[in-house]
Amino acid sequence: MFIKQSAAIILSTVAGHLYDTIGFHSAYLILGSITAAFTLLSAFLLTSTPRQKMADARTPATL
């Protein structure tokens, strides 16, 4: 919980600095681009490989 609040403080500071230096519109474009990049990176890195999918299909489901 402490880390989450610390990250919010840091992000707010960075966003505020961007507003002051480059403006609202450009700041949101930059923040949105960073978010999109992390989302795409996560989508590719967090998908299972075909080998993992086959192994998951072979193992019986347990309760």
Side-chain angles (χ1 to χ4, degrees), residues 29-50:
L29 285 176
I30 290 172
L31 293 172
S33 299
I34 292 169
T35 302
F38 276 105
T39 301
L40 289 173
L41 183 66
S42 298
F44 288 114
L45 293 178
L46 296 176
T47 56
S48 57
T49 60

